[in-house]
């Protein structure tokens, strides 16, 4: 029994490590070729979701999922979506698995010299907040059990 518990604990840590992305990783994806970001995410055990991906004009949308909920096998633990113009990532959305991971990224955003610009209530009791830095625009969207971070370059200079 002791070995089974040890294995399950190590397996859980391994799974959660693959989907926990840091702010520096998110920022590094901006400006990269879609193929490079895709390879990096797949290496971290993310799955491409072709049914939620596509092209609209010059804009490419590619969606990834990570893991599955134990109670609902049809639901992913985390979601990641990149948007790209001419095969270069210019915006991404990262839906995190929980408040703890979200709060770590939010702390990094606040500590990176950003300025809080706007807070809005949006549908379904969600709150959207924008943070600006010299190089990036961040948007956080939080709801009851939903935590999303958007990253894009700040081209308003």
């Amino acid at each position: 029994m002791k070995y089974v518990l040890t294995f399950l604990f190590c397996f859980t840590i391994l799974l959660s490590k693959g989907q926990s992305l840091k702010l520096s990783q998110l920022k590094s994806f901006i400006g990269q070729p879609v193929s490079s970001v895709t390879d990096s995410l797949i290496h971290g055990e993310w799955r491409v979701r072709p049914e939620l991906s596509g092209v609209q004009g010059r804009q490419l949308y590619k969606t990834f999922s990570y893991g599955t909920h134990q109670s609902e096998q049809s639901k992913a633990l985390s979601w990641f979506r990149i948007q790209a113009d001419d095969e270069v990532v210019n915006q991404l959305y990262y839906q995190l698995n929980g408040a703890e991971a979200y709060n770590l990224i939010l702390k990094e955003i606040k500590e990176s010299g950003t300025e809080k610009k706007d807070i809005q209530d949006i549908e379904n009791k969600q709150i959207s907040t924008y943070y600006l830095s010299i190089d990036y625009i961040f948007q956080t969207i939080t709801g009851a059990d939903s935590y999303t971070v958007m990253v894009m370059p700040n081209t308003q200079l």
Side-chain angles (χ1 to χ4, degrees):
M1 182 67 167
K2 176 180 166 184
Y3 295 110
V4 171
L5 291 175
T6 302
F7 172 77
L8 288 174
F9 178 73
C10 290
F11 185 69
T12 302
I13 289 174
L14 181 65
L15 282 178
S16 65
K17 183 173 172 59
Q19 67 92 14
S20 288
L21 300 172
K22 295 182 182 260
L23 184 62
S24 60
Q25 291 171 293
L26 299 177
K27 292 191 305 188
S28 75
F29 289 152
I30 300 296
Q32 295 298 314
V34 171
S35 59
S36 175
V37 175
T38 298
D39 289 346
S40 179
L41 291 171
I42 288 173
H43 181 71
E45 298 188 21
W46 288 81
R47 288 184 37 225
V48 176
R49 301 298 295 263
E51 72 278 14
L52 300 172
S53 302
V55 178
Q56 193 172 47
R58 290 183 16 205
Q59 187 79 43
L60 167 80
Y61 302 90
K62 199 163 191 178
T63 303
F64 303 82
S65 65
Y66 182 86
T68 55
H69 281 277
Q70 288 181 342
S71 60
E72 294 183 63
Q73 293 295 310
S74 64
K75 284 190 168 183
L77 291 173
S78 296
W79 292 92
F80 196 90
R81 182 173 189 160
I82 58 175
Q83 292 179 209
D85 281 331
D86 299 321
E87 294 291 321
V88 175
V89 175
N90 62 6
Q91 190 170 0
L92 60 86
Y93 292 85
Y94 177 33
Q95 185 176 16
L96 295 99
N97 186 26
E100 185 177 333
Y102 167 78
N103 285 326
L104 287 173
I105 286 185
L106 182 59
K107 180 180 177 191
E108 287 181 286
I109 289 171
K110 290 178 178 180
E111 290 176 349
S112 68
T114 61
E115 180 182 348
K116 188 187 286 188
K117 277 297 193 186
D118 189 30
I119 300 174
Q120 302 172 4
D121 288 331
I122 53 179
E123 60 188 53
N124 298 328
K125 296 183 181 180
Q126 293 182 323
I127 297 174
S128 169
T129 307
Y130 284 91
Y131 299 87
L132 300 179
S133 74
I134 292 172
D135 298 320
Y136 297 96
I137 297 172
F138 305 100
Q139 178 188 23
T140 60
I141 305 168
T142 57
D145 287 320
S146 177
Y147 308 93
T148 302
V149 174
M150 182 277 296
V151 179
M152 65 184 287
N154 187 350
T155 57
Q156 300 174 354
L157 299 175

